[in-house]
C-alpha cells in the first residue's frame, strides 16, 4: 500500500466515525449542527487522524482504541480552521475547496460551530475503550496541546506578530505550537491508544518524528502559499502576505526553505527508523515533504 492509498483508507475510517459522532439532530440547533458537519466532513487528507492510527498500529494497538482519539483530534483541528478563517483572524474565503464556514453560515454560527466541535471532541475522546489511567493521559494531552500552551498559544503568537519582522527563533516557537502541537498530539495519542507506558522511549521517538514533520509541513505550507493556486490547495493563497506575516520565506528563498524542510524530514525519519514496522510513517514523512497541495 502506497502513502496515497494509506491516506485514503484511513480517511474513510475516520470519515465514517466522524459521521457517526455528528449524526444526532435537534431542529432547534439545526443550523449550528449543519455548520459543524459542513466543515468537519469536507474532503480532507486527515493527516492528524492518520498519525493517531498509524502510531497505534505501529505499537500493536487496535483501530477500535484509536478511532475516538483520531476523531477528536480532527474535530479540534477543524474547529481551529473555522476560527482561523474568521474575519477577526485571517479573514479567508476558501477552505478545503469550498467557501469557509463563516461565508456559508455567517460569522456568529461559524464561531459557535467551532466552539461546538472543540467541546464535542472531549466527549468523543472520552469514549475510547482504554484503561482509566490511559484515558486520563489522553484527555490531559488533548487539553494541553490544544490549549493556551499549545495550538492556541501559537495562534496568539501569530496574531501578535502580524505586521512585524519576527526573528527566526520566534517563528520556530510559533509554529511548534500553532502547527506542531496537534501533530505531536496525534503521535502521542496513537502511542497512548496502543498502551505504550508514560516515559517509554518509543513516545520520545514518536514526538521527535512528529516535531520534525510538523516543522517541515509548515515550511512547505509557506512555500505553497506563494507558489500554488487556490484550486490546487483548496484554500485561499497569499493570506500570509495579506496579513503581513513573517514566514520561512522571510529568511530563505524557495530552494533554501525546501532544503530546510528536507533536513527536518530527515531528522524526523531518523528518530523512527530504528523501530520495526515504521516504514509507512517514514514514507508519510517523504510524502508530506513533496506534496503540492
Amino acid at each position: 500500500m502506497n502513502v496515497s492509498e494509506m491516506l485514503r483508507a484511513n480517511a474513510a475510517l475516520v470519515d465514517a466515525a466522524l459521521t457517526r459522532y455528528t449524526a444526532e439532530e435537534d431542529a432547534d440547533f439545526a443550523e449550528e449542527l449543519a455548520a459543524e458537519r459542513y466543515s468537519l466532513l469536507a474532503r480532507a487528507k486527515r493527516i492528524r487522524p492518520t498519525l493517531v492510527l498509524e502510531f497505534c498500529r505501529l505499537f500493536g494497538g487496535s483501530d477500535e482504541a484509536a478511532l475516538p482519539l483520531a476523531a477528536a483530534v480532527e474535530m479540534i483541528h477543524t474547529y481551529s480552521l473555522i476560527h482561523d478563517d474568521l474575519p477577526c483572524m485571517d479573514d479567508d474565503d476558501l477552505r478545503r475547496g469550498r467557501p469557509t464556514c463563516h461565508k456559508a453560515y455567517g460569522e456568529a454560527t461559524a464561531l459557535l460551530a467551532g466552539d461546538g466541535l472543540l467541546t464535542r471532541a472531549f466527549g468523543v475522546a472520552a469514549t475510547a475503550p482504554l484503561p482509566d489511567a490511559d484515558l486520563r493521559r489522553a484527555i490531559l494531552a488533548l487539553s494541553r496541546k490544544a490549549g493556551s500552551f499549545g495550538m492556541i498559544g501559537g495562534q496568539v503568537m501569530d496574531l501578535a506578530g502580524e505586521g512585524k519582522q519576527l526573528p527566526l527563533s520566534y517563528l520556530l516557537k510559533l509554529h511548534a505550537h500553532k502547527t506542531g502541537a496537534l501533530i505531536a498530539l496525534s503521535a502521542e495519542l496513537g502511542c497512548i491508544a496502543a498502551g505504550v507506558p508514560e516515559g517509554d522511549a518509543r513516545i520520545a521517538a514518536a514526538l521527535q518524528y512528529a516535531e520534525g514533520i510538523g516543522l517541515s509541513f509548515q515550511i512547505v505550507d509557506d512555500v505553497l502559499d506563494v507558489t500554488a493556486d487556490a484550486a490546487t490547495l483548496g484554500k485561499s493563497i497569499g493570506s500570509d502576505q495579506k496579513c503581513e506575516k513573517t514566514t520561512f520565506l522571510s529568511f530563505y528563498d524557495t530552494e533554501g526553505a525546501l532544503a530546510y524542510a528536507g533536513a527536518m524530514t530527515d531528522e524526523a525519519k531518523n528518530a523512527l527508523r530504528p523501530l520495526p514496522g515504521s516504514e509507512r510513517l517514514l514514507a508519510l514523512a517523504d510524502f508530506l515533504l513533496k506534496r503540492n497541495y
Side-chain angles (χ1 to χ4, degrees), residues 226-248:
V226 299
T227 62
D229 58 84
T232 301
L233 287 185
K235 63 179 182 178
S236 303
I237 61 168
S239 59
D240 291 335
Q241 184 176 10
K242 179 185 74 174
C243 295
E244 298 183 72
K245 294 186 180 185
T246 301
T247 73
F248 285 95

Side-chain angles (χ1 to χ4, degrees), residues 75-153:
M75 287 177 172
I76 289 174
H77 176 54
T78 302
Y79 119 76
S80 76
L81 299 180
I82 293 173
H83 283 195
D84 200 40
D85 291 335
L86 287 170
C88 62
M89 298 287 183
D90 287 352
D91 194 15
D92 280 326
D93 296 341
L94 188 68
R95 175 70 69 175
R96 290 177 170 173
R98 54 183 179 171
T100 50
C101 191
H102 72 274
K103 287 294 181 181
Y105 287 91
E107 188 174 346
T109 298
L111 179 67
L112 291 170
D115 293 345
L117 287 171
L118 171 61
T119 309
R120 191 193 293 263
F122 286 89
V124 168
T127 68
L130 301 176
D132 288 348
D134 288 342
L135 190 57
R136 179 175 178 275
R137 285 170 62 200
I139 298 295
L140 286 172
L142 273 171
S143 175
R144 178 76 180 184
K145 287 192 167 67
S148 300
F149 294 93
M151 180 185 65
I152 289 176

